Amino acid sequence: MIGRFLAMLAGIAGALGGSQAPSFTLQYMQNLTGRVDELRPIVERFDADIASYGYTRIQALAECEISTGLLGALCTGYATTVRRYEELSLHLANLQAAQDYARPLLLAQTYDRNIAESVMTEFRPTVPATLDGAAYAGGGFAVLWGGLSFIFGLIGALGGTARRRA
């Protein structure tokens, strides 16, 4: 009896937690979009500056890797910014291309730790008002309730077998 109650509580907690996945993903994507938008003008300016000297981005970054002194210091900053922009832009494009139901699962596999921590500091739970929110709520409930029901049932069965032997 207590096992069923605990499984039901865990299922409800799973539903509440699971229902937040689409909302968290949306807030993550908004944060990610802001970061890409912030880096875009810097990278566009870099591209324009190097193009005026006949360089492509790949050529300029390759030259930055062998530069020393002041040029090396400046290049390191630009190279880091360009790589971060490319990485975040690709990450955003992958998330945008994913189906609503798959997006939280993709995010769980590919999240950027700095962005996720930033989102978590401001994240507030929401009531799921979308079909994908309801689906994740149902999934969270099913996983925790079903998992604990199975475990408690197994424990009960093993306990019953031990009592019959005694």
Side-chain angles (χ1 to χ4, degrees), residues 67 76 81 128 131-132 138 151-153 157:
S67 298
T76 299
T81 300
L131 291 177
D132 53 322
I151 290 169
F152 289 138

Side-chain angles (χ1 to χ4, degrees), residues 5 14 25 40-42 60 67 76 81 88 96-97 103 105 108 113-114 121 123-124 132 139 150 154 156 159:
F5 177 72
T25 301
R40 182 177 292 114
I42 298 167
S67 298
T76 299
T81 300
L88 294 180
Q96 289 171 332
R103 196 172 288 137
L105 297 173
R113 183 181 176 144
N114 291 331
T121 61
F123 182 75
R124 300 293 174 260
D132 53 322
F150 175 76
L154 188 61

Side-chain angles (χ1 to χ4, degrees), residues 25 30 47 50 61 75-76 137 149 166:
T25 301
Q30 290 168 343
D47 288 345
I50 62 170
L61 292 176
C75 273
T76 299
S149 291

Side-chain angles (χ1 to χ4, degrees), residues 63-77:
E63 192 165 311
C64 280
E65 289 183 20
I66 60 171
S67 298
T68 59
L70 178 59
L71 181 59
L74 293 171
C75 273
T76 299

Side-chain angles (χ1 to χ4, degrees), residues 60-163:
L61 292 176
E63 192 165 311
C64 280
E65 289 183 20
I66 60 171
S67 298
T68 59
L70 178 59
L71 181 59
L74 293 171
C75 273
T76 299
Y78 275 113
T80 300
T81 300
V82 168
R83 286 189 185 103
R84 182 74 171 151
Y85 171 76
E86 290 172 344
E87 174 186 298
L88 294 180
S89 293
L90 179 61
H91 184 41
L92 180 60
N94 288 338
L95 287 171
Q96 289 171 332
Q99 299 277 332
D100 289 342
Y101 292 97
R103 196 172 288 137
L105 297 173
L106 176 63
L107 178 61
Q109 296 169 351
T110 62
Y111 71 94
D112 179 282
R113 183 181 176 144
N114 291 331
I115 297 172
E117 288 175 354
S118 174
V119 171
M120 280 305 297
T121 61
E122 298 298 324
F123 182 75
R124 300 293 174 260
T126 60
V127 175
T130 60
L131 291 177
D132 53 322
Y136 274 90
F141 177 84
V143 166
L144 288 179
W145 173 79
L148 284 179
S149 291
F150 175 76
I151 290 169
F152 289 138
L154 188 61
I155 291 170
L158 293 174
T161 302
R163 276 188 239 132

Side-chain angles (χ1 to χ4, degrees), residues 46-60:
F46 175 77
D47 288 345
D49 288 346
I50 62 170
S52 68
Y53 289 97
Y55 283 86
T56 65
R57 184 185 296 174
I58 293 171
Q59 291 169 324

